[in-house]
Amino acid sequence: EIVLHLAAQPIVRDSYKDPRYTYETNVMGTVNILECVRHSTSVKSVLNVTTDKVYHNNEWCWGYREDEPLDGFDPYSNSKSCSELVTHSYINSFFDGKIAVSTARAGNVIGGGDFANDRIIPDSVRAMFKGEKIGVRNPYSTRPYQHVLEPIFMYLTIAYRQFEDVRLADYYNVGPDDCDCVTTGELVDLFCKCWGDGAKWENKAEKNAPHEANFLKLDSSKIKAVFGYKPRWHIDECMEMTVRFAKVLQNGGDIPREMDEEIRIFAYGG
């Protein structure tokens, strides 16, 4: 009855290496999911999770709203813009008023359990495990950072609430507050502070590197107004929990137990 579509090829730099696979996964993957929904008699609520990078990036200082033009630059970002447009077409052509279909565009997430390549926090954790300095490609680029549990809880909220009331189906930004938009260098400074043990980073800016956005921020006023969304953890708490998870992993601890405990703290405090 409820479909959550989060599958993707999500790495910007990988999308430059293999754009065809990126489009096949992120665009046709969305088509395939929506085709299944179209032929289903049981589905009532669908949420397609895309990214904050779907917008045409003007490098301006204010956040993008849901009605801004969709035009991602690189193959990953653009494929997610296409995923949004595919979803819009299916809503207009097949689902309008019959099935609740929304998209959610989240900012950069941090937290335990991310082992992807070319992401700053996983790269930082790997460097710590090896006893090396952290290499930072773009220390001056600014991004909205939030703990992964923030958007996850909102995805579940959107899917459930629109299941109850189809009129809530829409396009939503799920981003942190302005205080959580920091440069990559500031983020890694905070990581090193939380990690301790003399953790340090160095500027590893690359010449002729593939294009990545320099400044990107979301305006999440809409989801705050509709669902009463309010971030529970800001950047300091996000990093503390991220480092906490990584150290449990490093020490061979009980990861499922740690995940359950972090979810409990996030949901209920303590």
Side-chain angles (χ1 to χ4, degrees):
E1 295 181 314
I2 296 177
V3 175
L4 301 172
H5 176 38
L6 289 83
Q9 189 301 95
I11 307 299
V12 172
R13 288 164 70 91
D14 284 357
S15 77
Y16 282 108
K17 298 173 186 175
D18 197 345
R20 178 172 179 167
Y21 174 72
T22 300
Y23 279 99
E24 286 175 346
T25 302
N26 296 349
V27 182
M28 288 309 300
T30 302
V31 171
N32 292 338
I33 288 288
L34 294 177
E35 275 294 285
C36 290
V37 171
R38 185 168 74 90
H39 293 288
S40 167
T41 58
S42 62
V43 175
K44 298 179 181 178
S45 173
V46 179
L47 180 66
N48 178 20
V49 174
T50 59
T51 174
D52 58 348
K53 298 173 184 64
V54 296
Y55 298 105
H56 176 75
N57 190 358
N58 296 295
E59 301 283 355
W60 55 33
C61 61
W62 53 85
Y64 294 91
R65 295 174 296 182
E66 288 84 351
D67 59 355
E68 306 281 0
L70 303 177
D71 186 15
F73 183 97
D74 56 87
Y76 164 69
S77 304
N78 188 268
S79 69
K80 284 296 196 174
S81 302
C82 293
S83 176
E84 289 270 354
L85 293 173
V86 167
T87 306
H88 299 181
S89 177
Y90 268 76
I91 291 170
N92 293 332
S93 301
F94 307 113
F95 302 144
D96 191 19
K98 302 172 185 175
I99 300 175
V101 182
S102 291
T103 67
R105 306 156 184 174
N108 288 33
V109 295
I110 62 176
D114 187 357
F115 304 104
N117 294 322
D118 291 323
R119 282 184 178 163
I120 188 57
I121 293 303
D123 286 349
S124 298
V125 172
R126 282 188 285 266
M128 293 301 96
F129 286 6
K130 295 177 182 177
E132 300 174 350
K133 284 186 178 180
I134 302 164
V136 181
R137 294 195 316 271
N138 300 303
Y140 305 111
S141 62
T142 300
R143 297 286 187 276
Y145 290 98
Q146 59 192 334
H147 195 277
V148 64
L149 291 177
E150 297 279 6
I152 288 293
F153 268 62
M154 285 314 302
Y155 300 157
L156 296 172
T157 299
I158 294 167
Y160 176 68
R161 292 285 302 279
Q162 71 179 19
F163 177 85
E164 294 184 314
D165 185 353
V166 69
R167 294 171 298 178
L168 294 176
D170 211 335
Y171 315 113
Y172 295 104
N173 288 337
V174 189
D177 289 337
D178 286 350
C179 62
D180 301 315
C181 292
V182 298
T183 67
T184 309
E186 291 169 334
L187 185 77
V188 183
D189 281 339
L190 183 58
F191 176 88
C192 292
K193 178 182 176 182
C194 290
W195 190 275
D197 298 329
K200 296 180 180 179
W201 66 273
E202 57 186 342
N203 191 339
K204 288 283 191 177
E206 303 172 358
K207 293 183 179 180
N208 303 316
H211 173 274
E212 294 185 69
N214 182 54
F215 190 93
L216 185 60
K217 186 168 68 172
L218 292 174
D219 183 331
S220 298
S221 301
K222 182 176 176 180
I223 200 167
K224 290 178 178 180
V226 175
F227 297 108
Y229 171 59
K230 183 178 181 181
R232 304 185 190 196
W233 289 345
H234 291 293
I235 192 69
D236 289 342
E237 296 104 320
C238 293
M239 191 59 72
E240 288 170 5
M241 299 306 290
T242 300
V243 169
R244 168 177 160 160
F245 184 103
K247 291 202 169 186
V248 171
L249 178 65
Q250 183 183 40
N251 295 324
D254 187 336
I255 290 298
R257 180 178 179 180
E258 175 62 21
M259 292 172 64
D260 287 345
E261 178 63 9
E262 291 186 17
I263 292 169
R264 186 195 65 78
I265 294 171
F266 181 85
Y268 304 111

